[in-house]
Each structure stands twice: as structure tokens, then as C-alpha cells.
Amino acid sequence: MPFGNTHNQLKLNYSSDQEFPDLSKHNNHMAKILTPEMYASLRDKETPSGFTVDDVIQTGVDNPGHPFIMTVGCVAGDEETYEVFKELLDPVIEDRHGGYKPSDKHKTDINPENLQGGDDLDPNYVLSSRVRTGRSVRGFCLPPHCSRGERRAIEDLSIQSLDILDGDLKGTYYALKNMTDDEQQQLIDDHFLFDKPVSPLLLASGMARDWPDGRGIWHNDNKTFLVWVNEEDHLRVISMQKGGNMKEVFNRFCTGLTKIESLFKDRGHEFMWNEHLGYVLTCPSNLGTGLRAGVHVKIPNVSKHEQFGEVLKRLRLQKRGTGGVDTAAVGGVFDISNADRLGFSEVELVQMVVDGVRLLVDMEKRLEAGQAIDDLMPEQK
Amino acid sequence: MASNFSRMLWSKRSVGLLSLAGAGSLTAAVLLHRDRVSAGAPVRRSYPASAEYPDLRKHNNCMASHLTPAVYAKLCDKATPNGYTLDQAIQTGVDNPGHPFIKTVGMVAGDEETYEVFADLLDPIIKERHNGYDCRTMTHPTDLDSSKLHSGLFDERYVLSSRVRTGRSIRGLSLPPACTRAERREVERVVVDALAGLSADLAGKYYSLTQMTDKEQQQLIDDHFLFDKPVSPLLTCAGMARDWPDARGIWHNNEKTFLVWINEEDHTRVISMEKGGNMKRVFERFCRGLKEVERMIQEKGWEFMWSERLGYILTCPSNLGTGLRAGVHVNLPRLSKDPRFSKILDNLRLQKRGTGGVDTAAVGSTFDISNLDRLGLSEVQLVQTVVDGVNYLIECEKKLERGQDIKVPPSTKAN
């Protein structure tokens, strides 16, 4: 809707070749996969809400590539995007999610009982534990495409549902545009406040329109369960706490998510989900579980080991700095999380993190003591 | 005019254009009278206007001042024949609440018809921004006869450089906030083609942003010619930076005194400049160059967007009319420190900027001084205002040098 690409009829006055973007300097998934033929076949299509292939790829056209990360280069404007433009998105998904085929089925498992261990990570090394995911409300357009009316409706629905949560999950909603200075400072100090996106990857897709209208942060009184409304996705749900008790974090995560889902259903709304793609989110990289389970862990020795990269790869883990994506590690403290999102269930992914981090901490202790870690090298998961 | 359009219809566009539902952009241009522009297909909407109305309580821009819920409700379901909507036009103003001291416009045009279809919002904005110009009743004078300019030679002990810029849009193609990649490339092709026909002191070369060599890039930077991808959120929120740097480029003559930017903030920005104080020559080259380019595009069946009521049509409503900013870099060490400086500028209908252009600070006591107005006065009149005004400022400076007092000139409120 909002950006200048949606009047499809005007584009069709020109040939497909005349409209095809110049991707010669680009390095992202979209640019690798979009051919002139594919563009020609997709460019006169649109989803029922009017999202077009040019809307899908705008962010990838405007952002040729990231020096360290292979970005996706496309976004969805609604649930139907993944159907209408499957010719482009299926190969992008396959490329991004380790060979996940259009015929593959995704397993959803948010039963925390199925997680083994995870309450035993050494807090001397594991400073904090966190699990996040996203959820989209079926029937509404996604952040790149939604109108102000839709975004506000999502916010209203979310507030209604979150207000009902009680017990450990009882909390308060802070709308970004009504926040007092005090509230804002507190949220910053708690590391909860999200700000208007500055990344051109997000801005180019139209996600920051009308900021801060319809955006807000909800968190429980204990500050261990947090929901972001209308940032990069309709909802981002985060469970976190200091220390290494990932089991507790995951418990709360699953309980909270399940409750929220049933509260939305009570109001006649469900989350976008299907058998093939799992939970549907704005960025194809977050399909499936949309789950990133991670820890901040102190591994100054392991991280300097020449096999560090290989170890992470075999454990299906990735490292980030403690500021999150695109930041550097400080003082040997790394953010270690699952690399996968789709094709594994939530329980499976958190299990990989729990087992993998336990191993990294064991390796760290060995190296501290001046011992070798060769016998601890894992198999490829 | 009509014959030009029919030539355009048949020779320039693929047959597909003729089957465009409703009035196509070209035929709409023929019928460009407010009552007769047909809007495009109504906008698909699932929420009532009241649920979609933006929250403008913290906003301070022209759009926010004039977009009442009633105006929004009236216009939100309309679209131009190209499909450009009100929400698209106001997005930049919604996203950028405004500067406490500067009142920005807060909306842009996606095509020529924007100014017609959304006239209920744009007419009052234009009136506010352009000093009371009522485009429903007034007509804008266009005058590019540089021979009418008197005494355009400044004292070069004070004036370091002189410059005149404007913009031009190619009729029939959408503007930077809304254009498709193919349209943008078409703008590039049409303009570069025309510029290639310039000769003598205007002969020059085009440097496409996508194909520039490192050496060319460095040279353009050193010459202060290179424009970069917009970073101002005022521009990026309007969608002007999409597909960067595709179909963007810089053309300049060999003498480096006539420069054209393609597909930056407007289809074209045309600049005539030189060191020193010969504004007469700068303006003469400006007018000649513009007329040459216009002649050349007309030979191929194109023309500039222009109307009697709005003058030259550009992306930002603030640049309607002449789109002209004539300015100098002038050194005024004493006058700039005088408390009456701002009032003097005001009364002379001039504005000051730093030497980096808009939103920059002055370095030392050298200022960029240019005309405030754009619409309602002709090019000749505006450049004359700058010539007379700058001469007055220099006289003040000289008086202060001699220890004499200066006078604040009477106000010359335009319109």
C-alpha cells in the first residue's frame, strides 16, 4: 500500500526488462534467486491486499548486501505473500533454511516438558538466558504493508489480551507515544525499550512508517516476560532472566505464548501458522519457530580457539556480540544462540542451545586449566 | 499543446498505456483543470477514515496544520490516475513531526495530478508556504528573459560565488516518490539525450551514478558536484531513495559552470554557477541552458510539467512556481554581527544559510544568501530581488567598515 510500487497497472506499461532491478552489485538471497524470467512471471500478480513483487524485493534492491551477513533481501506484506510469490520465496527459503523443500513439513512443539535439563548451566559463565520469537495475527497485513488502522487494531487486540494475563505473567503496557520520560528511562535501564529502526534493511521495507503510532512494549511486573508490539513483527515475545536457568526461561516462554494464543482465540483471532512454514513472520528468515534461544556466556578462551567457528557450526549455533545482531563481543562475553529457525521444533532448538552451551562451558573450564579440548569436539548435528 | 500530446501518445508510449483504466496520465495532463482530472480507481480500504487518520498532535508542519479529519475523510479514498494516494503523499509529514524552528511542508507529490486530485489539502498548504499565493485565483508569471536583469555584477571583494538553481519535471512520468524503475530510467534517457545535444560553452558529459569510475567520482567530489544518496528522513520517508543509485546521475558542461542532477529529489535539478560575482552571466547561462534543453526534449515529443496556476511542477510544494533559488556566497563580517541583520534580510525577501547549503552553519562570516520566494514572482523578478538585495547588504557592510550607520530597508512584502 504505502510505497510507490503498489500501483501495479502503471508498471505494466513498461516491459519486464525495463523494470527489472539492477542486481549486478548485490549479494543477498533475493538477488541470487530472482531472474528476469521469474520477475516477468510475478510482476503482474498481487496478494488480495495489494502487495506486489516489487514491494517484496524493495529492501533487497535498496540494500545490496551486508559485509558479514548474507541478508534475505525480501519481506512479506501479508500471509498470502508466501503463496502468491512462492516461485521466488520457496527457493529463498530453501537457500536460507538449509535446504528446506517446498514439500517439507515443519514441526511445532512448545511443550516445555520435552526439554531435557537446561536448569544446570553454570551461572559463573552463563550470565543470562533468553528465548524470543514472533507471532503474526491472521487476517492483518504485516508491518511493511499495514495501514495505520490495521496497526492500531493489532495494538488494541494485543493490549486486551495481555491485560488478562495474571500470576507471574501479570504486567503493564507502555505505548511508545504516551510514555512518560520516567517510564522511558526505566525501560531503557531495563534494556527493554526498542527504538525506531535505523537499519536500512528495515526502513527500506516500510516497517517504520507512522512511528511511533501503534507501537508499544508490554512486560510483566517481574520483568521476565516481554512483548514488543508492532516493531519488526506484529508481536515479538521474549522470556529472559539473569543466570543460566534456560529451563525456567523456556517454561515461562511456552506458558506465556500458549496463554496469549488462547486469549487471542477468545477474541476471534488466531496466529498465522501453517503445516509447511510453521509460524509466519515478516522476514522469511524467521519462519518456522521464529525462535532464537540464546545466552550471554563468558568464553574468552574458547572464543579465541582456532576451532571456535567449527565448533559452533557443528553445534548449529551462531555467535553475536552482546548488543545483539551486528555488534561485537565485549570482554569475551558472547551471545550464543541457535542458528536454525525452520525445520526443527522449538524444543529441539532450545535443546541444541542447552546442550551446546553446556559443552562450550566445559571447554572453557578445560582451557582455563590449561588442558586440551580435542576429545570434547562434537559431531555435526 | 494538444498536438504535442497526441504526438507523445503515439510515438512515445507502448500501446499498453492507452488501455490504462480511466484517464491515463498523459490525457489527464491535457485536461489539467481541477474539475476535470479524473481520479484513479478508489483506494481499497478496510477501516473507516477515522481509524486511519494519523496522530498529528505532536506535529508542526504545513500538512499537519491543514489535514483535518474532515479533509482526510474526503480525500483518503481518492487516487491519481497513476494510483498515487493521500497516505503516500503525506507519509513524510507523518513520519517527520517537524523541527521546532523550521516548519517543513510535510507532503510531496507523486505525479502532476497529485496537485489536482488532492487540491483540497494542497491549495491551503501552498497558500501558507508561498506567502498567501492563492492558486485558485492567481496565475504565476514565468519569465526567463535574462536580458531584463539589471546590474547583476557584484563587488568581488565580498561575493565569492554566484549560483542559480531550479528543477524541471518531465510531463507524463511520475515523480521521484512514486516512479517505477522503468519510469526513472526513462527520465534519465530523455534528459541525457537532450543534454547530449548541447553545444559550445554548454557542451558536456553525463556521469551515471551506477557506472562512474573511482576517478570520476573523486573528481566530482572535488568539484563539489557529486550528490549522494539522501539521508534526510524528510526525503527517505517519501520514498525518493528507492532503487538507489539506479538511473541517477550528474551531467555537467566541460567548463563546469552548468550542471544537471538527474533523479535526485526531482526529475532534474538545473544549476548554473561560477566563482565570483557575475550573477548576470550566471543567469544568462541558466536561462539559455534551460531553453535549449526544453527545445531539445520538445523535438522528441516531451515537455516540462507546467501550469498557469502553479508554474513549474516539482516534487515538493515548496519548489512550485519558479523552483528557483538564486544565491551568492558573500562575506559580511560586520553586517552579520549586527542585530538588525535578520530583519534586513527579511525585508529584502532573502534568506541566509550556511555555506554547506540548507541546514548548515555559516563558516566564519561567509553566508549563502538567496531568495525566499519561489511562487508568484517570475524568475527575472526573483533574481533581481537577489541582485538588489545583495547589493544593499554589501553597501551596509561598506558603511559599517567606514563607521557609518546603516538603515533597515522598508519591508517589500510580496503579493
Side-chain angles (χ1 to χ4, degrees):
Chain A
M1 179 193 305
F3 272 8
N5 286 328
T6 53
H7 34 275
N8 236 5
Q9 295 306 306
L10 179 66
K11 281 206 306 283
L12 297 178
N13 293 327
Y14 293 88
S15 76
S16 179
D17 282 341
Q18 287 173 310
E19 287 287 356
F20 189 71
D22 179 354
L23 301 173
S24 52
K25 297 200 175 86
H26 287 58
N27 180 42
N28 55 50
H29 287 294
M30 180 279 291
K32 277 178 64 186
I33 283 161
L34 185 71
T35 61
E37 295 71 36
M38 194 186 279
Y39 182 76
S41 131
L42 292 177
R43 73 178 192 126
D44 57 356
K45 297 186 168 49
E46 46 183 76
T47 67
S49 74
F51 204 64
T52 67
V53 74
D54 284 303
D55 294 324
V56 173
I57 66 174
Q58 189 69 59
T59 179
V61 174
D62 288 348
N63 297 289
H66 194 281
F68 313 138
I69 308 170
M70 177 79 160
T71 50
V72 174
C74 23
V75 291
D78 51 25
E79 190 167 9
E80 294 82 355
T81 302
Y82 288 101
E83 248 326 287
V84 175
F85 302 110
K86 61 197 317 351
E87 202 182 321
L88 167 64
L89 289 169
D90 278 351
V92 166
I93 288 166
E94 191 163 345
D95 222 15
R96 177 60 177 219
H97 292 283
Y100 192 78
K101 304 235 167 325
S103 53
D104 287 342
K105 301 258 178 290
H106 171 81
K107 224 181 333 164
T108 291
D109 181 1
I110 37 174
N111 183 353
E113 314 264 302
N114 294 337
L115 182 71
Q116 324 259 346
D119 50 357
D120 52 353
L121 298 174
D122 188 337
N124 292 315
Y125 294 84
V126 179
L127 309 176
S128 62
S129 308
R130 181 184 188 265
V131 183
R132 69 90 157 147
T133 188
R135 291 291 186 265
S136 310
V137 185
R138 179 160 278 163
F140 292 89
C141 291
L142 295 168
H145 191 45
C146 65
S147 70
R148 279 182 295 273
E150 279 187 296
R151 200 185 294 111
R152 290 161 177 171
I154 292 161
E155 186 191 28
D156 283 341
L157 255 177
S158 304
I159 293 173
Q160 280 170 37
S161 304
L162 295 168
D163 264 356
I164 295 179
L165 292 173
D166 61 3
D168 172 49
L169 296 176
K170 180 171 175 323
T172 311
Y173 182 71
Y174 302 89
L176 248 58
K177 65 179 183 180
N178 294 336
M179 215 172 266
T180 66
D181 285 345
D182 273 353
E183 287 168 341
Q184 182 170 299
Q185 195 49 55
Q186 187 59 56
L187 288 165
I188 291 174
D189 294 341
D190 290 329
H191 304 291
F192 283 171
L193 187 66
F194 62 87
D195 208 356
K196 181 171 179 175
V198 292
S199 164
L201 300 173
L202 301 181
L203 296 176
S205 71
M207 289 188 219
R209 288 170 301 124
D210 314 312
W211 202 275
D213 197 315
R215 274 84 167 191
I217 291 162
W218 178 96
H219 70 78
N220 66 349
D221 298 336
N222 295 336
K223 297 188 182 179
T224 53
F225 194 69
L226 171 63
V227 178
W228 289 350
V229 178
N230 286 320
E231 191 235 11
E232 232 186 282
D233 279 293
H234 286 169
L235 303 170
R236 282 288 178 96
V237 179
I238 302 154
S239 170
M240 61 207 262
Q241 66 194 51
K242 294 249 180 266
N245 195 342
M246 183 60 93
K247 188 156 183 78
E248 201 170 79
V249 170
F250 188 53
N251 269 3
R252 187 185 312 113
F253 176 80
C254 296
T255 310
L257 263 179
T258 309
K259 280 224 174 76
I260 292 174
E261 181 159 19
S262 86
L263 290 169
F264 268 78
K265 284 216 174 103
D266 288 346
R267 272 150 201 76
H269 295 275
E270 47 181 30
F271 292 146
M272 291 184 197
W273 179 93
N274 65 62
E275 253 195 340
H276 166 53
L277 294 178
Y279 288 102
V280 176
L281 294 177
T282 305
C283 181
S285 70
N286 280 322
L287 291 166
T289 59
L291 185 138
R292 193 171 92 84
V295 298
H296 282 188
V297 60
K298 222 169 13 177
I299 42 171
N301 293 295
V302 170
S303 57
K304 290 200 199 71
H305 196 279
E306 50 163 17
Q307 293 281 60
F308 184 44
E310 181 62 21
V311 168
L312 290 178
K313 183 167 158 290
R314 293 189 188 182
L315 293 174
R316 308 192 72 89
L317 298 177
Q318 73 175 188
K319 72 180 196 290
R320 297 180 182 191
T322 47
V325 68
D326 292 340
T327 65
V330 174
V333 179
F334 283 79
D335 176 317
I336 300 290
S337 64
N338 53 294
D340 303 296
R341 304 271 181 274
L342 174 67
F344 297 91
S345 74
E346 288 81 352
V347 166
E348 283 169 349
L349 292 176
V350 180
Q351 193 69 65
M352 277 188 231
V353 173
V354 160
D355 296 343
V357 169
R358 192 184 301 114
L359 181 61
L360 287 171
V361 171
D362 287 344
M363 286 179 165
E364 181 68 20
K365 289 173 175 170
R366 286 275 194 97
L367 291 172
E368 269 176 28
Q371 295 164 347
I373 56 168
D374 303 329
D375 60 314
L376 292 179
M377 283 297 288
E379 297 286 303
Q380 175 67 55
K381 279 195 184 282
Chain B
M1 225 191 214
S3 61
N4 279 348
F5 284 104
S6 39
R7 263 208 302 154
M8 273 199 277
L9 277 172
W10 291 107
S11 65
K12 283 291 105 186
R13 301 309 200 89
S14 64
V15 174
L17 177 61
L18 297 174
S19 62
L20 189 65
S25 55
L26 291 179
T27 48
V30 178
L31 303 170
L32 256 176
H33 184 278
R34 225 156 19 98
D35 303 335
R36 295 167 72 195
V37 169
S38 24
V43 169
R44 223 181 329 224
R45 194 174 283 295
S46 26
Y47 292 83
S50 55
E52 294 285 2
Y53 182 71
D55 182 349
L56 301 171
R57 289 171 295 170
K58 293 198 178 94
H59 287 60
N60 179 39
N61 56 51
C62 296
M63 179 279 291
S65 298
H66 297 281
L67 185 69
T68 62
V71 171
Y72 184 78
K74 182 174 182 196
L75 298 178
C76 68
D77 286 334
K78 297 194 162 62
T80 67
N82 296 326
Y84 196 66
T85 65
L86 179 70
D87 283 324
Q88 284 174 284
I90 65 172
Q91 190 68 61
T92 179
V94 175
D95 289 347
N96 296 289
H99 197 278
F101 310 141
I102 306 170
K103 194 167 187 188
T104 48
V105 175
M107 71 181 286
V108 291
D111 51 23
E112 189 166 7
E113 295 81 355
T114 300
Y115 288 102
E116 305 302 320
V117 175
F118 304 114
D120 284 331
L121 175 58
L122 277 160
D123 286 355
I125 287 177
I126 289 168
K127 194 168 190 180
E128 179 188 337
R129 182 61 180 221
H130 292 283
N131 215 16
Y133 182 84
D134 186 346
C135 50
R136 296 170 201 204
T137 57
M138 295 174 171
T139 55
H140 169 81
T142 292
D143 186 355
L144 287 162
D145 181 354
S146 60
S147 68
K148 292 181 184 161
L149 188 72
H150 5 274
S151 61
L153 284 160
F154 296 123
D155 187 333
E156 294 192 344
R157 287 174 296 171
Y158 300 88
V159 173
L160 309 176
S161 62
S162 309
R163 181 184 187 268
V164 182
R165 70 88 159 147
T166 188
R168 291 289 186 263
S169 311
I170 308 295
R171 177 160 276 161
L173 296 168
S174 301
L175 296 169
C179 65
T180 70
R181 276 183 297 274
E183 282 189 296
R184 200 186 292 114
R185 291 163 179 171
E186 184 79 331
V187 169
E188 186 188 35
R189 191 191 63 74
V190 168
V191 177
V192 170
D193 198 45
L195 293 169
L198 294 176
S199 60
D201 67 317
L202 294 178
K205 187 174 167 193
Y206 180 64
Y207 302 88
S208 134
L209 248 58
T210 54
Q211 285 159 18
M212 202 173 277
T213 65
D214 285 345
K215 233 171 126 228
E216 287 168 341
Q217 183 171 300
Q218 195 51 53
Q219 186 60 53
L220 288 164
I221 291 173
D222 295 339
D223 289 328
H224 305 289
F225 284 172
L226 188 66
F227 63 86
D228 210 355
K229 180 169 178 175
V231 291
S232 163
L234 299 173
L235 302 180
T236 55
C237 291
M240 292 189 218
R242 287 169 302 128
D243 314 311
W244 202 276
D246 197 316
R248 273 81 168 193
I250 292 161
W251 180 98
H252 70 78
N253 66 347
N254 300 328
E255 301 183 5
K256 299 188 182 179
T257 55
F258 193 67
L259 171 66
V260 178
W261 289 351
I262 293 177
N263 286 319
E264 192 235 10
E265 234 186 283
D266 277 295
H267 282 175
T268 67
R269 284 290 178 95
V270 179
I271 302 152
S272 171
M273 60 207 265
E274 55 184 76
K275 293 251 181 262
N278 198 338
M279 182 60 92
K280 177 115 179 131
R281 188 164 61 203
V282 168
F283 187 51
E284 185 277 326
R285 186 187 316 114
F286 175 82
C287 295
R288 184 163 46 89
L290 271 175
K291 291 201 201 119
E292 267 303 287
V293 172
E294 182 162 22
R295 191 175 64 77
M296 234 122 17
I297 64 170
Q298 281 173 338
E299 274 174 15
K300 301 281 172 72
W302 297 92
E303 53 179 43
F304 291 142
M305 289 184 197
W306 179 92
S307 78
E308 259 200 338
R309 74 179 191 108
L310 295 176
Y312 288 102
I313 309 263
L314 294 177
T315 304
C316 182
S318 69
N319 280 322
L320 290 167
T322 60
L324 184 138
R325 192 171 93 85
V328 296
H329 282 187
V330 59
N331 201 16
L332 302 166
R334 287 167 189 74
L335 180 59
S336 58
K337 292 194 194 65
D338 192 293
R340 294 164 286 184
F341 185 41
S342 286
K343 185 82 181 121
I344 293 173
L345 288 175
D346 244 14
N347 287 0
L348 292 173
R349 305 296 306 162
L350 297 176
Q351 73 176 184
K352 72 180 197 288
R353 299 181 182 190
T355 48
V358 67
D359 292 338
T360 64
V363 174
S365 51
T366 305
F367 287 82
D368 177 316
I369 304 287
S370 64
N371 52 294
L372 263 174
D373 302 302
R374 303 267 183 275
L375 173 66
L377 294 159
S378 75
E379 289 81 353
V380 167
Q381 286 171 309
L382 290 176
V383 180
Q384 192 66 63
T385 303
V386 173
V387 164
D388 296 344
V390 170
N391 278 333
Y392 191 91
L393 296 174
I394 293 172
E395 276 315 302
C396 288
E397 183 68 26
K398 287 175 176 172
K399 283 204 168 110
L400 292 173
E401 274 173 28
R402 296 190 293 259
Q404 294 171 326
D405 196 22
I406 58 173
K407 273 217 251 301
V408 173
S411 167
T412 49
K413 218 71 179 95
N415 295 333

